[in-house]
């Protein structure tokens, strides 16, 4: 799954530094399912409070799943999304995305969510091929 990079953004990259807001907009338009998933989790975290907000519903199709994988497997995309939304992102399996506040109050929850134990407990046969 590749980003849809405009000629203007590509020219920025060829010249040197890229404006991160332009990059984030490229991610937003290229990966709309992933963008909406993360945006909705950020909104949920702000409304509900708590230590984190996460999604446990599998994507509707392989294209959506690919968008999540692309967004969260790329250090550049993931970092830009974290800075843009002001959260820390975590990812399990092929769909369980979570957003955590930046402050230290969520450190323990984030550590638990990203632990080997949690990864193992979040496995299921239905997700074997995701």
């Amino acid at each position: 799954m590749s980003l849809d990079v405009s000629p203007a953004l590509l020219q920025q990259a060829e010249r040197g530094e890229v404006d991160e807001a332009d990059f984030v907009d490229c991610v937003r338009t290229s990966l709309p399912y992933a963008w909406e998933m993360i945006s909705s989790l950020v909104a949920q975290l702000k409304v509900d409070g708590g230590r984190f907000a996460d999604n446990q519903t599998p994507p509707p199709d392989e294209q959506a799943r690919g968008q999540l994988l692309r967004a969260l497997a790329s250090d550049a995309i993931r970092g830009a999304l974290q800075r843009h939304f002001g959260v820390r992102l975590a990812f399990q399996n092929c769909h369980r995305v979570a957003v955590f506040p930046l402050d230290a109050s969520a450190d323990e929850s984030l550590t638990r969510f990203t632990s080997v134990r949690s990864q193992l407990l979040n496995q299921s046969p239905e997700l074997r091929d995701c």
Side-chain angles (χ1 to χ4, degrees):
M1 169 113 356
S2 184
L3 297 177
D4 298 321
V5 181
S6 71
L9 188 57
L10 184 57
Q11 286 176 351
Q12 270 189 48
E14 289 169 346
R15 286 191 310 266
E17 288 301 311
V18 175
D19 180 74
E20 188 160 281
D22 291 341
F23 178 66
V24 167
D25 191 53
C26 176
V27 171
R28 180 186 60 76
T29 59
S30 300
L31 307 173
Y33 178 82
W35 181 271
E36 180 55 36
M37 171 67 63
I38 294 167
S39 295
S40 67
L41 291 173
V42 169
Q44 180 183 338
L45 181 64
K46 287 180 181 176
V47 169
D48 296 346
R51 304 247 186 244
F52 69 98
D54 68 327
N55 171 65
Q56 296 190 28
T57 305
D61 54 40
E62 290 306 307
Q63 182 179 11
R65 185 181 324 278
Q67 287 187 30
L68 284 178
L69 292 172
R70 179 73 174 108
L72 294 162
S74 165
D75 290 340
I77 295 172
R78 184 184 199 141
L81 290 172
Q82 290 181 133
R83 288 184 295 279
H84 175 77
F85 288 110
V87 296
R88 293 180 283 179
L89 295 170
F91 190 50
Q92 286 185 354
N93 289 344
C94 54
H95 67 275
R96 191 167 181 207
V97 180
V99 297
F100 293 81
L102 291 176
D103 62 68
S105 70
D107 287 354
E108 184 179 328
S109 295
L110 177 62
T111 298
R112 220 174 311 128
F113 186 90
T114 58
S115 72
V116 171
R117 179 176 186 267
S118 289
Q119 181 66 59
L120 291 171
L121 293 172
N122 194 43
Q123 303 305 298
S124 72
E126 297 84 28
L127 301 175
R128 175 81 63 203
D129 294 326
C130 72

